[in-house]
Amino acid sequence: MKKVLRKGMLCALVLAGLSLVFVSCGSGHKKNKDDDEETYTPAAGGGGGGSGGSTSSTGSSSSTPALETKWITVPAGTFTMGRFTANEHTERITTPFVICDHEVTQGEYKAVMGSLPPAVTVFGDNLPVTYVSWYDAIRYCNELSKKEGRTPAYLIEGFVVTRTYSANGYRLPTEEEWEYAAGDRGATVYSGTSDEYYLGQYAWYDWNSGYRVQNVKSKKANGLGLYDMSGNAWEWCWDEYENSETRIVRGGSCNFYSSGCAVSYRFFHLSEQRAIDLGFRVIRMGS
């Protein structure tokens, strides 16, 4: 009887050992898009570098690395707007402009406006600021312009906003300017690539984001050195959609499908709407 028990215990130990071996080794790994991603390690100071722009640094808390800001000059030119859509056409950008290489962050917004939008519950200086309406973004542009001694780009009278075209202050991009910059002047379908297989290297979207915004500049930049123009947060544009109560947003988001990351994808929100994945970036005249 003792021999039978010993043999049974020995067999159980052997089977347990084999189970541990199989668990540790696994039965093979299914390859997916992110297996092909390069490891991205931000440089000291917060992010990878773009090319062709001036730099500055935004302050942050001691626990968050300072974010290096690059201002990228985008030259005038002609491109195919609305690629692979029913609205495909040739568009010309007649005037160069300078665009920030990342979405406006919580740290930047708070430094200019004094506080974050009240609906924000997840905090981080290098997270894109969200829960901003189109009007909030317009006011931020004017306040940032004043802070830097520039002429504000907008005249705000209640809910009526008029753009001053000669002003050198900050403003939202038109959707033509946005698509031109996001697609590297018409070169790519998404911002940074034309192949959806590699989209995860450039964009935070529903497939890889955990359904929340991520630190700006934590993915690869496009050919102009611009980050997160596909995914992370939707970005307000200047343009009306059907009327002044609705405005264009571009770029997709952490909560949206890969199709929304295409630079030609158009979406809209009410001008007063605020959402968990709705942010913006700023541009100014090219001088």
Side-chain angles (χ1 to χ4, degrees), residues 134-135 138-139 142 154-163 238 240 244 247:
W134 183 82
Y135 291 105
I138 291 292
R139 285 188 282 268
N142 272 8
Y154 300 116
L155 175 63
I156 304 171
E157 298 176 300
F159 289 103
V160 178
V161 179
T162 305
R163 177 182 161 191
W238 161 252
E240 297 178 359
S244 61
R247 296 284 174 167

Side-chain angles (χ1 to χ4, degrees), residues 131-141 154 159-162 172-173 235-240 244-249 269-274 278-280:
Y131 289 108
V132 287
S133 70
W134 183 82
Y135 291 105
D136 293 334
I138 291 292
R139 285 188 282 268
Y140 174 90
C141 288
Y154 300 116
F159 289 103
V160 178
V161 179
T162 305
L172 297 178
E235 299 184 13
W236 285 112
C237 292
W238 161 252
D239 308 70
E240 297 178 359
S244 61
E245 294 181 358
T246 55
R247 296 284 174 167
I248 296 290
V249 295
H269 279 296
L270 294 172
S271 304
E272 295 181 69
Q273 187 167 349
R274 298 177 176 93
L278 186 52
F280 67 107

